[in-house]
Amino acid sequence: MSEQLGSGWPFVGRGGALATVREALRSGAGVMIAGEAGVGKSRLAAQALAGLRQYTVVRALGTVTASMIPFGAFAQVLTGPPESGENLLRWAARHLRAGARTGELVVSVDDAHLLDPASAALVHYLAENGEARLLVTVRSGEPQPAPVAALWKDELIARIELPPLTEDEVGQVLAGAFGGEVAAATVRHLAGVSGGNVLYLREVVHAGRTSGCLAERDGQWRWRGELSVTTRLRELVSDRIGHLDEDEREVLELVAFGEPLGAELLATLTSARAVERVEDRGLVVTEGEGRRELLRLGHPLYGEVVRMSCGTLRARRRRRMLAEALEATGLRRREDQLRAAVWRLDSGSAAAPETLVAAARLAWARQDPRLAARLARAAIDAGAGVEALALLGEVLMVQGDTDAAVESLRQAARDVVTEGERAQHAASLGINLAWAGADAEACRVLDRAAETLTDPAWRQEVCTYRGVADFLAGRLTGAAGWLARAHGCTPGTVRGAAHAACLEAWVDAYSGRYDHCLAVAEEWLAGMAGWGDEAPHALPTLLDARCAAQVFSGRLEAAARTAEEAMGLAAGELSVTGFGAYRAQVSRLSGDAAGAARWCRDDAARLPTRTPYLGRCLGELAHALALLGRTEQARATLTEAEAMAARWPFTRQPVLQAAVWVTAAEGDLDEAVRLSVVAADLAERHEQAGPFMFALHDLVRLGVPGSAAERLSALARRVDGPLAGLLARHARAMGDPAELGAVAGEFERLGLVLYAAEATAQQAAAYRDAGRGAQAKGAQTRAWALAKRCPGITTPALVELATPELTPRQREIVRLAAAGLTNRQIADRLTLSTRTAANHLQAAYDKLGVNDRTQVGRLFAAL
């Protein structure tokens, strides 16, 4: 990354504005660029002028100091006195034109809102009389000299508003500045903190680099930790805020600690006129929300600086003021309970235990587990009982700290008194044990509760959790049985019904009832307003089930949308996480392995370190890296994934499939085949229809379908959707070139471009084996075209595109050589003599027209 934090940054993300400015200069009298301070007006103007070589450019700069001198902005180019009686504006224009020795004259004025009266009049004169083309920048919201304002009001020149950078544009700027990949979460964070202001963005990046929060990790630039406001950044923001009187300072501080803050609430705490003055200066903005008016800071960094300027006691007083004022309204909205409790907590003032418990539940309902855990702990410290501890246990589970949850819940067992407390305690302890992989103990805890509870609502909850324990352990039939028992517990609760719907969708997604899963998910997601606050687990679980069903049934575009929707919720801190693995799977199947790796890295960077979902995500990353031929990275990532994902069958399956392709990339196809069989058998034993389908199909892709065709055909008869049937058809088509071509066409129609390329390559091989050379060449051409849509990917089927004349043994040896094995290592792997391995390799070199392993590697990489 360039160490320059100014003009050294790349000029990207402003292509449309740049084209507009240049066109205005070429075709008209000029253009005015308006925008807030630091948005990049001067940089845009400079970039526009750099492309106008046929013009003579005179530059002027408006400053506070120069504004006290007539023609102060043009002092560097206006020399010599005017002729006797000469009009001053004509004299100045004559001097400027005299400098234009070639081409037309362009006058560029930066910060024209600061021009002295004479300079402002000159600029207007130039435009009105066509003496020069103008490129003018002004700061939005600042008063302008009348002649400058008249430039655009009288339509003498065009005016464009330069908005802050969008999130996508921030990503482009950061990628160019760093010269590398930037994690999506980091782009979102920096875009949010900077508000898209280029000047602030540079300073925040500098602060992050200095503090170590922003660093390159695992091939991506990522932000970790809290924003550290440097002295320079603080001064820049403070200058923008400007001088505040005591009333204005109070307004800004209250909004900084309480935003979004209701206008009515703020009016009870401070001066209405001060609020108006602060709003007029753009330091706060008003937003409508129904019939309410809410105040927010004009820029995210204002809050950072204002809060930093408050000492501890002052900050506590402001938060206590906010809490007391909101409590005085009667806390009419549920959200008010949460905000008042947080302000009480942050101000160090007392809050009732029941208030803190209610607030913790609201935070949990808002998918904010960190805040929910903080409030639950505060409630426990304030004397709340088992209810708060059970809630904390659920939240700690999501944060990956099941050990702490289980320990606390075990210690609290002696405090359980009522049936409700017993149910909540058993549910929280049981699900934490199941989450931690302590299956037997989880089942004992939940079984005991299910047998002894008398209240149907509590029994419904416990039976559902018992079904989840079976699901996590890969016992789908058992999970379905417990689900039936939960449905039989009436009357139940909204929370219990939502959790039961989640279990139903999950079981359907993995047992192959994809259509029913999607119907259940859509019905409950549509009615989320009725249960969202009561069942925080339900939203991410339903999204997870929907995404799995969409992938397993071949609905790739829909699966991508679901995964991205889930990843965008609450910054990924959901009770079910790792949606990046689904999104990566879609990219991989579509032929974009590099994109799959990016999705995995982005999601893995924000997942709890002790969740099996991280293992699933790392498994997909290893898979993508293997397809890209980055075998060392793939193997290291796979090792890490295996340790994390082993707890549950449905997170372990993606890792098992990754192991197949890491091993294949290393050149050991026999072991890859064996691992495919292991993965298929395990998926079948655990009733995981989707993973079972993909594991069997891997055998087809590796060229040894064996019994996969029969097993896939049997599976296709009992699961929904077209994908299982198509994979079975692929298995049956091996050796039949016409049918392989038809299968490839169906793969392509579904968006499975990688499978389409492999099937077409297999079609070309089948034609060659049948001695039909012309058809083989046509199929190979189609396979090449499809393979080009899978950049960087190499699989055994695609390797044949580069090695069509080799025997199977030669192809195997060449693949091992490309993976870096020596002749001795190849011989040992294949139980050959070293001389035989060398002879096969030399024969392959002769057929391929290459001389060594490096050239073979390049040949494979060209796919």
Side-chain angles (χ1 to χ4, degrees):
M1 172 185 168
S2 171
E3 293 302 320
Q4 285 289 112
L5 294 177
S7 59
W9 272 41
F11 183 82
V12 295
R14 296 295 198 189
L18 178 61
T20 300
V21 172
R22 285 180 173 169
E23 179 59 27
L25 287 172
R26 290 191 181 103
S27 61
V31 62
M32 175 183 288
I33 305 171
E36 65 182 40
V39 80
K41 304 182 296 297
S42 301
R43 183 74 187 277
L44 174 60
Q47 201 70 23
L49 293 173
L52 301 175
R53 303 183 187 282
Q54 69 272 35
Y55 298 95
T56 296
V57 178
V58 172
R59 290 178 172 84
L61 173 64
T63 66
V64 173
T65 302
S67 67
M68 294 183 285
I69 306 170
F71 296 113
F74 292 91
Q76 77 280 9
V77 292
L78 296 179
T79 58
E83 297 179 3
S84 177
E86 184 178 14
N87 180 288
L88 289 178
L89 295 180
R90 290 178 181 173
W91 162 77
R94 178 168 56 81
H95 266 275
L96 295 180
R97 286 197 310 274
R101 297 184 179 85
T102 60
E104 294 190 50
L105 176 64
V106 172
V107 176
S108 172
V109 185
D110 207 7
D111 287 341
H113 56 282
L114 296 177
L115 289 179
D116 61 274
S119 294
L122 173 60
V123 170
H124 186 274
Y125 177 84
L126 293 171
E128 188 175 40
N129 292 279
E131 299 280 357
R133 301 180 187 222
L134 298 180
L135 177 53
V136 177
T137 72
V138 296
R139 184 178 298 177
S140 297
E142 294 287 338
Q144 300 172 15
V148 173
L151 291 173
W152 63 273
K153 288 182 178 179
D154 295 344
E155 299 184 353
L156 296 176
I157 63 175
R159 173 178 168 137
I160 67 168
E161 292 288 337
L162 190 63
L165 296 171
T166 65
E167 184 177 306
D168 286 344
E169 290 167 346
V170 168
Q172 295 174 38
V173 170
L174 293 173
F178 296 149
E181 188 178 326
V182 186
T186 297
V187 173
R188 283 193 296 273
H189 171 70
L190 292 174
V193 169
S194 68
N197 184 292
V198 182
L199 177 61
Y200 292 159
L201 178 64
R202 285 202 304 264
E203 293 304 322
V204 171
V205 166
H206 177 72
R209 292 288 308 278
T210 301
S211 65
C213 290
L214 183 58
E216 190 173 16
R217 301 176 177 93
D218 301 324
Q220 281 188 321
W221 286 89
R222 296 176 185 164
W223 185 287
R224 289 181 181 171
E226 298 298 321
L227 173 64
S228 175
V229 178
T230 62
T231 301
R232 175 173 166 77
L233 180 57
R234 183 176 181 177
E235 289 175 350
L236 281 171
V237 177
S238 296
D239 286 346
R240 176 64 187 90
I241 293 173
H243 173 74
L244 299 170
D245 63 29
E246 190 59 34
D247 287 346
E248 292 169 342
R249 177 187 170 101
E250 182 176 52
V251 169
L252 211 57
E253 288 176 356
L254 288 169
V255 177
F257 286 112
E259 66 175 332
L261 202 56
E264 292 183 6
L265 183 69
L266 184 59
T268 66
L269 295 170
T270 187
S271 161
R273 290 187 177 179
V275 175
E276 292 175 4
R277 292 198 301 273
V278 170
E279 183 185 32
D280 288 343
R281 292 168 58 180
L283 300 179
V284 299
V285 293
T286 304
E287 300 175 351
E289 184 183 86
R291 291 180 297 177
R292 302 175 69 200
E293 288 186 341
L294 300 177
L295 293 173
R296 293 183 183 274
L297 294 172
H299 193 281
L301 285 175
Y302 296 169
E304 296 290 341
V305 171
V306 169
R307 288 188 291 269
M308 280 182 62
S309 67
C310 291
T312 301
L313 296 180
R314 188 183 186 92
R316 287 181 177 177
R317 178 162 58 87
R318 292 299 187 210
R319 290 177 170 123
R320 188 164 58 251
M321 289 172 61
L322 290 167
E324 290 170 351
L326 191 57
E327 288 164 353
T329 68
L331 302 178
R332 296 184 299 270
R333 301 173 183 84
R334 296 195 69 190
E335 197 69 27
D336 291 346
Q337 297 178 347
L338 175 58
R339 305 189 76 206
V342 172
W343 287 333
R344 283 288 183 191
L345 202 58
D346 289 343
S347 67
S349 52
E354 57 272 16
T355 300
L356 292 168
V357 172
R361 290 199 177 282
L362 285 169
W364 188 207
R366 302 298 183 269
Q367 301 293 342
D368 190 342
R370 296 178 191 274
L371 180 57
R374 183 173 173 231
L375 288 163
R377 286 192 176 98
I380 294 168
D381 292 341
V386 174
E387 179 186 7
L389 189 59
L391 173 61
L392 178 61
E394 291 187 18
V395 176
L396 290 176
M397 175 187 70
V398 172
Q399 294 180 306
D401 197 0
T402 54
D403 291 344
V406 168
E407 182 181 356
S408 298
L409 286 163
R410 282 174 173 159
Q411 291 175 359
R414 62 182 178 272
D415 300 325
V416 173
V417 177
T418 67
E419 182 168 78
E421 289 176 342
R422 186 154 55 88
Q424 291 176 81
H425 181 270
S428 187
L429 177 58
I431 199 64
N432 265 285
L433 289 167
W435 207 266
D439 178 53
E441 187 180 357
C443 292
R444 284 196 301 271
V445 168
L446 294 167
D447 285 345
R448 190 181 309 117
E451 292 166 2
T452 58
L453 291 171
T454 59
D455 185 301
W458 289 123
R459 197 163 63 249
Q460 177 191 47
E461 183 88 358
V462 169
C463 286
T464 300
Y465 276 38
R466 178 62 177 80
V468 171
D470 270 354
F471 172 79
L472 295 177
R475 299 185 295 268
L476 269 63
T477 300
W482 281 103
L483 177 62
R485 292 182 62 176
H487 283 152
C489 297
T490 56
T493 63
V494 170
R495 171 185 165 91
H499 285 170
C502 292
L503 178 57
E504 183 176 10
W506 244 353
V507 171
D508 285 344
Y510 280 85
S511 62
R513 299 181 67 209
Y514 308 129
D515 294 342
H516 189 257
C517 168
L518 295 174
V520 170
E522 295 308 322
E523 177 187 354
W524 279 85
L525 288 169
M528 190 173 67
W531 53 261
D533 286 354
E534 302 297 326
H537 282 299
L539 171 61
T541 305
L542 288 169
L543 290 173
D544 185 87
R546 183 171 75 175
C547 204
Q550 288 165 338
V551 170
F552 296 152
S553 60
R555 299 171 170 94
L556 297 192
E557 290 185 5
R561 288 194 299 270
T562 298
E564 291 179 34
E565 175 189 352
M567 291 174 72
L569 291 172
E573 292 193 48
L574 301 170
S575 52
V576 174
T577 49
F579 286 94
Y582 284 127
R583 186 61 185 84
Q585 191 174 11
V586 171
S587 292
R588 170 171 56 79
L589 293 170
S590 303
D592 183 11
R598 283 194 299 273
W599 283 110
C600 288
R601 288 195 184 99
D602 282 347
D603 210 26
R606 60 184 182 177
L607 289 176
T609 56
R610 289 183 285 179
T611 173
Y613 290 109
L614 177 57
R616 178 169 73 177
C617 202
L618 292 176
E620 273 296 333
L621 176 58
H623 196 152
L625 293 172
L627 294 181
L628 293 169
R630 294 154 65 176
T631 53
E632 289 186 9
Q633 284 181 274
R635 176 59 68 182
T637 304
L638 178 64
T639 300
E640 187 178 358
E642 287 170 337
M644 293 183 179
R647 193 181 302 169
W648 307 328
F650 80 101
T651 56
R652 185 159 68 247
Q653 283 297 146
V655 178
L656 292 174
Q657 190 181 11
V660 171
W661 293 98
V662 172
T663 304
E666 293 171 338
D668 193 346
L669 292 190
D670 291 340
E671 179 63 9
V673 169
R674 188 190 71 79
L675 290 174
S676 293
V677 174
V678 169
D681 290 345
L682 188 63
E684 185 176 34
R685 185 162 68 251
H686 287 300
E687 306 175 81
Q688 309 278 317
F692 179 48
M693 172 186 71
F694 282 126
L696 289 175
H697 186 244
D698 281 347
L699 292 169
V700 181
R701 297 170 62 203
L702 291 169
V704 285
S707 62
E710 181 180 344
R711 298 172 80 182
L712 278 169
S713 297
L715 178 66
R717 288 191 289 271
R718 63 180 179 83
V719 304
D720 299 333
L723 186 54
L726 183 56
L727 300 187
R729 186 179 167 192
H730 185 193
R732 295 192 299 270
M734 294 297 284
D736 181 343
E739 179 64 0
L740 283 169
V743 166
E746 285 300 301
F747 280 144
E748 186 176 7
R749 185 181 66 80
L750 289 176
L752 296 150
V753 180
L754 175 57
Y755 288 0
E758 291 176 324
T760 308
Q762 291 168 340
Q763 179 192 31
Y767 274 131
R768 283 196 303 272
D769 292 344
R772 298 161 67 178
Q775 291 93 332
K777 288 182 179 179
Q780 185 167 335
T781 299
R782 290 192 297 275
W784 267 105
L786 288 165
K788 289 298 182 184
R789 293 167 59 188
C790 307
I793 293 181
T794 302
T795 69
L798 297 184
V799 164
E800 294 195 11
L801 295 176
T803 60
E805 306 299 326
L806 302 185
T807 66
R809 174 62 83 183
Q810 289 171 341
R811 195 173 292 120
E812 188 172 19
I813 289 174
V814 165
R815 190 180 299 111
L816 293 171
L821 275 68
T822 65
N823 289 356
R824 171 63 63 84
Q825 290 170 326
I826 294 172
D828 292 343
R829 175 76 62 84
L830 301 179
T831 319
L832 301 172
S833 70
T834 303
R835 179 179 293 276
T836 300
N839 289 341
H840 277 303
L841 189 58
Q842 186 58 52
Y845 286 170
D846 292 342
K847 290 182 178 180
L848 295 172
V850 299
N851 298 317
D852 56 30
R853 285 172 169 78
T854 301
Q855 292 179 334
V856 168
R858 290 173 182 164
L859 183 64
F860 283 12
L863 286 175

